[in-house]
Amino acid sequence: MSALPLRFLPVLVRREHASLAIKLLAPPVAVGLATLLNFGLYLLMGRDPAAVFHAMLLEPFLSWASFSEVLLKMGPLLLIAQGLAIGFRAKVFNIGAEGQFILGAIFASAIPIWLPQATGQWIWPSMLLLGALGGSLWASLTAFWRVRLNANEILVSLMLALVAAQLLNYLLLGPWKDPAGFNFPQSVMFQYDAMVPILIPGTRVNVSLLIASALSLAAWLFMQRSFAGYKLQVGGLAPRAAAYAGFNEGRAIWISFLIGGFAAGLAGAAEVAGPLGQLQRSISTGYGYAAIIVAYLGGLHPIGIVFSALLMAALYIGGDNAMVSANLPVAAVRVFQGSLLLAYLVAIAFVRYRLEWRHAAQGSAP
Amino acid sequence: MNALEFIVAGMLAAATPFLLAALGEMVAERAGVLNLGVEGLMALGAVIAFIIVYHGGGHLLGFLAAGLASAALSLVFAVIALGFRANQVAAGLAIGILGQGLSALFGKSYESLTVKGLPKLSLPWLSDIPVIGGLFAQDVVVWLSLAATVAIWAIFAYTKTGLVVRAVGENPKAAHALGYPVIAVRFAAVAFGGVLAGFAGAYAAVVYTPLWADGMIAGRGWIAIALVVFGTWLTSRIFLGACLFGAVSLASLAAQATGLDVSSQLLSSLPYIVTIVVLGIISSNRRLLKLNGVASLGEPFEQ
């Protein structure tokens, strides 16, 4: 090798011990890296980066009004991501939370749509429960396909998410369409008792954020302190050891999907019984997919996920701001989300590896 | 033209996006890499081809640029999944989200615009046969895709290149010990898959339905990944599977056209439901999957 730049090549070398410091640093580094890349893109698109930066990354935190919207968006992301992370740690990949979210919304909407005259404080809690049940049922289809039929859970759960979107369309264009709704694909507005109570007066933040926080605590207890959670983690880290120890793989898959579906369904129910107040086509702006990123960015750890859910919620609100004030297309948020996960995957590699510059000849020898 | 003739004539064209993307994914998986970003790679290829054709660049340039763009994005996946040894599932999903985002971003000002497709090239005599004659009148991309299918089949069946790719996927350590560059082969396989996914997206956007709409790939990238499993990593079976999906998507169109009283949402979700059902049937034959599956699929390679 005569060319100078090729004399030393970067090689990833496994560390003796995984670095906790880098594990903690990886998410902020990833955010920085993704921000840098995306603002380069905005510059190429001819947008003023300073204006986008202000609208997208600062404004969500600058006023109570917009921060409360961030908290509102955080609820569903936090719920879904906590559920997904439990499965991901067991290496059970539920990619179809979007569908479980939609089914949760549909199941919850059944009560106010079928009983529009009903009153009483039992309505919204029953809607949340029914939504969680709907999400679990939809997720259990995938679990059954995986455990009984050996089918890949990634593909099945994703296909079911696409089917769920069509099911929602069918209901909103057909039997559940608001007859007085000028033919818009949406249901009737729900009655007052079908709405989740407001948590912080003067904002739209409702009790579902409290539920999401409580379930985050429950997720932490389950994963870090319970034997069932331990079995799931062993199954993910060392499947063979788990099999020798007699930990049942099928059970791990069922638990992962039921929990993931429960959380996503609950989130869907809380969306229609919360800020939306009706079943609409746009009940989810990709929460199910964004939550996958939230789960990874939070290191699949219940506490980390609280922070990453807050960040992702801010990104949604910031993206909306930037659309209005800096003329940035909504799709930019999706680009940011994708690059954020990629940046995180690069950063997290350095937890287990370090970069070493090796002589080219030496580096290529087996 | 009755429904049967309609399906026979259009099946291959409808199958082409599935076929190209699935063959690309098969090559990557044979080398041991699970790339779940196909949906995003197709979406990116689709928008690039559409923009170029819309501005008069022509179909050839459109396809080339689409292939290049998707290959570039698939190389980003390769750097992260192979270079940084990231979780391939997560990296593939991220590429998928990024590709769909970029596609929506670039295509924003082209929403609902149309371009001209490609003319059909008919085989003499054969295309005059009643009922099945339509099968022999296809556009040039379909003919080339059929040729590519045969070529890929031959490469894996008869050439050393095919053997090396399979060795790298089956047992990377052994392949490395024999002196084959495992990581380089995997990079090449992923890039090849990217090119084909780009072509698949381009075909969908500028030939099959030459109209731009955000989200027009509509799960076809995911079905392509499922097709690799249906086809148990074999070119011939993947071809048959792609034809099945082409026929299913046309059958739902034909059903709508004949005024059959089925909800259009049910028909739109038919390909997804068929995917789920077939995936269940094929996968429950564990022996079949074990026999044909790729041993090191999704696992990072460390020297």
Side-chain angles (χ1 to χ4, degrees), chain B residues 54-77:
Chain B
Y54 184 79
H55 290 292
H59 281 76
L60 180 62
L61 191 66
F63 269 84
L64 289 180
L68 271 180
S70 300
L73 189 58
S74 71
L75 282 175
V76 174
F77 167 78

Side-chain angles (χ1 to χ4, degrees), chain A residues 162-173:
Chain A
L162 298 176
V163 174
Q166 293 296 336
L167 180 65
L168 177 67
N169 277 343
Y170 166 75
L171 288 172
L172 292 179
L173 293 167

Side-chain angles (χ1 to χ4, degrees), chain B residues 57-197:
Chain B
H59 281 76
L60 180 62
L61 191 66
F63 269 84
L64 289 180
L68 271 180
S70 300
L73 189 58
S74 71
L75 282 175
V76 174
F77 167 78
V79 165
I80 289 163
L82 305 174
F84 288 97
R85 291 165 208 162
N87 178 334
Q88 290 184 10
V89 172
L93 290 173
I95 287 292
I97 294 169
L98 181 61
Q100 290 179 62
L102 287 173
S103 161
L105 197 62
F106 296 154
K108 192 175 173 268
S109 43
Y110 297 88
E111 193 69 28
S112 309
L113 295 178
T114 55
V115 295
K116 251 184 96 149
L118 285 173
K120 302 257 185 251
L121 305 175
S122 312
L123 295 185
W125 311 110
L126 288 173
S127 53
D128 297 329
I129 304 173
V131 185
I132 62 158
L135 202 56
F136 303 101
Q138 304 290 344
D139 59 71
V140 61
V141 184
V142 172
W143 293 125
L144 288 175
S145 303
L146 293 177
T149 308
V150 175
I152 289 171
W153 169 77
I155 286 170
F156 278 107
Y158 294 116
T159 71
K160 192 177 165 188
T161 311
L163 210 57
V164 172
V165 171
R166 281 166 61 186
V168 162
E170 284 305 322
N171 194 337
K173 289 217 162 103
H176 177 69
L178 287 171
Y180 293 113
V182 173
I183 295 296
V185 169
R186 288 185 169 179
F187 260 84
V190 168
F192 182 80
V195 171
L196 285 196

Side-chain angles (χ1 to χ4, degrees), chain A residues 222-234:
Chain A
F222 179 70
M223 286 314 275
Q224 315 300 125
R225 290 288 177 268
S226 82
F227 186 50
Y230 172 77
K231 286 200 280 194
L232 283 180
Q233 292 190 42
V234 175

Side-chain angles (χ1 to χ4, degrees), chain A residues 256-280:
Chain A
S256 300
F257 269 97
L258 289 177
I259 292 179
F262 183 93
L266 189 58
E271 233 12 52
V272 290
L276 299 178
Q278 66 181 160
L279 191 64
Q280 318 171 338

Side-chain angles (χ1 to χ4, degrees), chain A residues 7 16 26 29 41 45 88 91 112 115 138 206 217 235 242 301 316 353:
Chain A
R7 278 187 61 188
E16 295 246 330
V29 168
L41 181 69
M45 287 164 57
F88 289 172
K91 293 252 159 61
L115 304 168
W138 201 247
N206 60 46
L217 186 69
H301 191 284
Y316 265 110
Y353 301 98

